[in-house]
Amino acid sequence: MSANRRVPVVRLWACVLFGYLALGATLQELPSYVTERFHAGPLVVGVTVGLAFAGTAAARPLAGRAGDAGRSRGTAMAGGLLTAVAAAGHLLAPDLWVLLAARLAMGVGEAALFSGTLPWVLAGVPPSRAGRIAGWFGLSMWGGLSVGPLLAAVAGHAGGAAAVWSLVIALPLASAALLATTPRQTARPLTEREIGRAHV
């Protein structure tokens, strides 16, 4: 079978991981960033951090519907690009309102990235493996949120805040680049043997 008819499970898994590593990295950097740059208190810091998750919760149903309608690739690519633009907005925000808007946009981008890739993958795997694949994609999301703060701490130690924000921008750009070079959705589910070749 030709490679362009196979769902690239590992490749799409990495796309989600990169996006959520970026979001996780912001969790480490945002509190001090908001406090030092905008002289905000704990309440504003909490709202700023949580706003991304509100954006994700609001956008997930719409992004999932688009994925189910056969627009998985475009939805996921838009999510990766929006996340990268929002990450740049964090760094360049001239005031707190722009930062809050960037935070909300990042959450929407993450929703599109995850909710686009998951239907893409599930449409091409046997039903007997769908739960396992969905579990792996959940792991990519939660793993990114867990490891992202550690990456931010390492980057911050090595190059300061600029290095952290560069990482936050680069990770979703890498997701978008991977998605842009990934073949379109497979026309039929993969066999058990083909899924085994994906090492998932």
Side-chain angles (χ1 to χ4, degrees), residues 61-141:
L62 295 175
R65 193 173 298 122
D68 290 339
R71 298 190 294 273
S72 294
R73 189 171 186 268
T75 299
M77 283 185 61
L81 290 172
L82 181 58
T83 301
V85 170
H90 285 60
L91 178 62
L92 302 174
D95 56 49
L96 185 60
W97 292 107
V98 174
L99 176 62
L100 292 174
R103 201 71 193 137
L104 186 64
M106 187 172 220
V108 172
E110 296 291 351
L113 180 61
F114 184 85
S115 297
T117 53
L118 189 58
W120 185 350
V121 170
L122 293 182
V125 301
S128 63
R129 300 296 293 271
R132 184 180 301 181
I133 297 298
W136 274 100
F137 272 73
L139 178 62
S140 70
M141 178 180 69

Side-chain angles (χ1 to χ4, degrees), residues 17-36:
L17 176 65
F18 291 163
Y20 277 89
L21 282 172
L23 181 58
T26 67
L27 302 181
Q28 169 70 21
E29 190 66 20
L30 265 181
S32 61
Y33 183 71
V34 173
T35 300
E36 294 171 7

